[in-house]
Amino acid sequence: MDGVPEPHTGWTFLTNHARVLASIADNPNVRIRSIAAHCRLTERAVQKIIADLERDGYLSHTREGRTNTYRIDPGKVLRHPAEAGLKVAELLSLLVQAEADRNTPPQQVGAARAPTPVDGG
């Protein structure tokens, strides 16, 4: 990574914890450096977030040589009362689909997914 990512000012829809978890869901063997670059965070911030997620049981890891393999608990319920009953797997399925759509040419995205109420379908 070429130094510290550019800082972001203002609010966002997703927390850094959700971004890191989605990166790990995409690749359980991902390196902290890659997560940091993808999420535009420092490596130290990613380490702290991973520690938070592990401490609260959302994530665990095993060490294989110099590589960590992460495991997400998909049945763990989200923390905020407004999301009572929603599981990590449900959040990640939305984020993974959005990432796939973002990396697919626009004409293929519309054909690949069914319309949602937000789309007007």
Side-chain angles (χ1 to χ4, degrees):
M1 190 162 117
D2 298 324
V4 178
E6 294 178 28
H8 177 273
T9 57
W11 64 275
T12 64
F13 283 101
L14 297 176
T15 67
N16 290 335
H17 285 67
R19 287 186 187 97
V20 168
L21 200 60
S23 288
I24 291 170
D26 189 46
N27 176 4
N29 297 312
V30 68
R31 294 181 179 266
I32 288 176
R33 175 173 292 176
S34 297
I35 297 170
H38 180 75
C39 297
R40 300 183 62 137
L41 299 168
T42 63
E43 289 180 35
R44 182 68 191 120
V46 171
Q47 289 170 337
K48 183 180 180 312
I49 290 168
I50 288 173
D52 289 345
L53 293 168
E54 285 187 312
R55 182 183 60 247
D56 290 340
Y58 289 89
L59 186 66
S60 61
H61 78 276
T62 55
R63 188 101 172 138
E64 299 171 11
R66 296 182 63 199
T67 303
N68 285 324
T69 299
Y70 297 97
R71 183 185 173 287
I72 296 170
D73 181 350
K76 190 85 169 155
V77 177
L78 299 181
R79 293 170 44 109
H80 196 280
E83 289 95 33
L86 292 176
K87 296 179 180 167
V88 168
E90 294 164 328
L91 170 67
L92 291 174
S93 69
L94 291 172
L95 296 176
V96 168
Q97 181 60 51
E99 184 69 19
D101 287 352
R102 198 165 66 163
N103 293 324
T104 303
Q107 65 274 18
Q108 292 178 1
V109 170
R113 65 179 176 93
T116 64
V118 174
D119 294 333

